[in-house]
Each structure stands twice: as structure tokens, then as C-alpha cells.
Amino acid sequence: MNIIKIPENYTYISAFLTMRCNLSCSFCLNAFDKNFDRKREEISGEEWIKGLNRIVSRPDVPITLTGGEPSLHKDFIYIINKLKPELNIDILTNLQWGKNGIDKFIQEVNPERLKRNSPYASIRVSYHPEQMGNGKKLVKNARRLKNAGFNVGIWGVLYPSPIQLSAINQMQFICKDAGIEFRVKEFTGEYKGEMYGNYSKYPGAVNGKLGSCLCKTSELLIGPNGDVYRCHRDLCAEEFPLGNITDTNFQIIDTFKQCDKYGQCHPCDVKVKTNYKQELGHTSVEIKNT
């Protein structure tokens, strides 16, 4: 099969192994799109490997396995172990794997496979107080992974509810005592009618008046069935795929594309944030001619 070379301006590769999740957080960003459906066709681990191993990337742009909760894919560990060594791997997870799931991961995955030179942990665990309580069990599981040699950290979202913020404040001390890195990230989305996040670069892109534009992405976003999308908005709505990662002839065409959905942009795409080097000022897409 033909290789898929990642353009120099691309900063992220995200493989959504599944949209299924074993949590139901009230502020899930996937569900920001009203048409979002967790029930998606999912390709097998063999098909994921067939597609992903075609990719030629850079050491600082890993394959990020995400979802939903990526561990719910039946071939989660198989995919990790079969990705070619040239591809670095990151994992975004809620770590709700159960004791048997963590035991299996530790037994079957080499910690060295998930280590790279990066300013943040390669296994990034999300803490959701409304689903996980005080998080002590989560920290215990993260500690098990760290003791086994894995590079793991816990992240909390600054969702502006009093319960969330209070729990995150306590979690910082719990993680410090356990020797687990804990970070917070800005909430992206809507709370009590107010949008949180900096969208100043493209005013009106989120919850705005529908219009047309030219748009260019800096991310390779791959849905559970292997379809490739130009943005999170299209991924969540399952609209306008650019091709499929398992298609022998699929290639990334790094050009501006016509879009008639400006105003319905997903916050993840147009929020001003840090890039993979932790430098502020990045947006996932570049938009012009609005």
C-alpha cells in the first residue's frame, strides 16, 4: 500500500478507535454536536494496523489512540503492539479498565513502547469527579502503571461547576502524595449558556451564523470506521469524509477546502490553545474567506 506522509504543518494524529465510552460525563466534548452518536461501525485491529502503519510521521507527532474510551476496542492492546516502531504512541483514556484490564495491559505491553521525548505524559488519564468521586481509585491505578514503568499523568478539566472545581483542587494533593503528575486544562464548551474558551481568532465560528469559508486542517482525524475527516465537527457528525485510512490510494491533500458549515465549528477546531510543543496561539484549523 502507498505510504501516507504527514505534512510538515500537521501537529496531531488522532485515531478514534471507538466512540463508545464507559462513562457518561455531562460535558463530553464529543457530544457538543447534537447529531453525535456513539454507535459507530468499528474496523478491526488488523484494519487499523493496515492503515496506520502506512503513515510516515515525525517523532514529535505520535499516533494518539483515543475515543470514546479506546480500551473498549476489542483489539486495543493488539493495535499498540503491532504499530510499527517508527510511530510513537500516545493514549488518551479514563483508565476505567478494572483490575483485570490493568493487569493485562501491564503483562502484554512494553512500557518502552509508550515513551518518547515529550513535555507531557504519553498516557494521559482524564479525571471526571462526577463519575469517579474523589479519584483515589484512579490514582491507585495510575500508580500501578507508573510502578510498572509507564509514563502516565492525570488531567482534570476546569469545568466551572463548584463540585468539579473543588474535587480538582483536592485531586492535586492526592496526586502529589502519590507521586503522580497532575495537570489541569481549560474547559472547552458551554456552561449555563456561556461558551468557555478563547475563540477570538475566528469570531462567530462556534454557535454563529451559518456561512461559507475555506478551511485547512493541521490534524489527521480518523474515525472508528477508518474514515478521515477534515475537522472534529465533521467527525462527530459523520459528514464529509475525505477518504478512508484503509484505502490503498488514500493520501493527505494539504490544501484549503470549501466548507459551508462555518458557524457550526466544533470548539476543539477553532479554540486558541497550545500546540504539541505547549506554545500558546495554535488553532487546529486555519480559516479564510469567511
Side-chain angles (χ1 to χ4, degrees):
M1 299 178 73
N2 297 330
I3 67 167
I4 300 173
K5 184 171 176 54
I6 299 301
E8 287 300 316
N9 64 301
Y10 271 44
T11 61
Y12 196 61
I13 303 170
S14 190
F16 291 78
L17 302 186
T18 177
M19 288 301 189
R20 292 177 290 123
C21 189
N22 43 16
L23 299 181
S24 55
C25 301
S26 60
F27 55 91
C28 179
L29 257 181
N30 285 343
F32 181 83
D33 189 297
K34 295 179 177 58
N35 297 318
F36 179 70
D37 185 358
R38 293 197 181 278
K39 297 178 181 179
R40 305 279 185 96
E41 176 191 353
E42 298 176 12
I43 58 176
S44 68
E46 289 185 356
E47 291 174 295
W48 272 113
I49 292 304
K50 177 182 176 182
L52 294 178
N53 276 349
R54 301 167 58 199
I55 292 175
V56 176
S57 186
R58 308 187 301 275
D60 54 1
V61 184
I63 303 289
T64 298
L65 304 180
T66 184
E69 169 49 45
S71 66
L72 294 181
H73 192 287
K74 63 183 181 65
D75 297 325
F76 175 57
I77 291 178
Y78 171 89
I79 293 169
I80 294 171
N81 287 334
K82 292 296 183 179
L83 280 168
K84 63 184 182 181
E86 300 95 314
L87 292 173
N88 284 327
I89 304 170
D90 280 7
I91 300 173
L92 302 185
T93 175
N94 59 37
L95 203 56
Q96 303 301 289
W97 298 354
K99 183 181 184 302
N100 290 339
I102 292 177
D103 287 345
K104 181 178 174 64
F105 188 86
I106 291 173
Q107 291 167 4
E108 298 185 11
V109 177
N110 184 345
E112 296 301 318
R113 186 63 186 92
L114 296 170
K115 290 181 179 178
R116 63 187 182 89
N117 184 17
S118 170
Y120 45 81
S122 55
I123 301 179
R124 298 192 290 283
V125 179
S126 54
Y127 170 49
H128 303 290
E130 65 179 31
Q131 301 281 302
M132 300 176 180
N134 61 22
K136 290 183 179 180
K137 184 176 180 180
L138 183 73
V139 173
K140 181 179 179 181
N141 289 336
R143 184 70 198 178
R144 286 193 62 208
L145 289 179
K146 182 175 180 178
N147 289 343
F150 291 96
N151 183 12
V152 58
I154 297 177
W155 297 61
V157 178
L158 293 174
Y159 183 63
S161 76
I163 293 176
Q164 178 93 359
L165 297 180
S166 176
I168 284 177
N169 184 54
Q170 294 301 313
M171 189 61 153
Q172 296 180 61
F173 296 102
I174 295 172
C175 284
K176 184 176 181 180
D177 289 343
I180 298 294
E181 179 188 29
F182 182 79
R183 298 193 189 190
V184 296
K185 54 184 177 181
E186 183 184 18
F187 171 60
T188 301
E190 188 173 346
Y191 179 73
K192 293 187 176 181
E194 181 180 351
M195 279 298 300
Y196 283 74
N198 179 359
Y199 308 101
S200 59
K201 190 172 181 179
Y202 302 114
V206 179
N207 291 336
K209 184 179 179 181
L210 191 63
S212 298
C213 68
L214 292 175
C215 185
K216 181 180 178 181
T217 186
S218 62
E219 300 182 347
L220 178 61
L221 305 176
I222 312 166
N225 69 345
D227 279 349
V228 176
Y229 295 91
R230 59 187 175 183
C231 62
H232 286 85
R233 184 259 164 218
D234 290 359
L235 168 73
C236 291
E238 291 186 275
E239 292 183 340
F240 316 122
L242 302 174
N244 193 284
I245 197 72
T246 64
D247 182 350
T248 301
N249 297 316
F250 174 78
Q251 292 293 309
I252 296 172
I253 301 176
D254 185 28
T255 59
F256 282 92
K257 297 176 178 64
Q258 179 69 34
C259 176
D260 297 322
K261 298 294 183 179
Y262 186 84
Q264 292 185 1
C265 297
H266 193 285
C268 283
D269 294 314
V270 292
K271 173 187 172 182
V272 179
K273 54 190 175 182
T274 56
N275 62 11
Y276 67 107
K277 295 180 180 179
Q278 301 294 281
E279 299 167 336
L280 185 62
H282 172 72
T283 54
S284 298
V285 298
E286 182 182 353
I287 298 174
K288 64 182 184 179
N289 295 355
T290 57

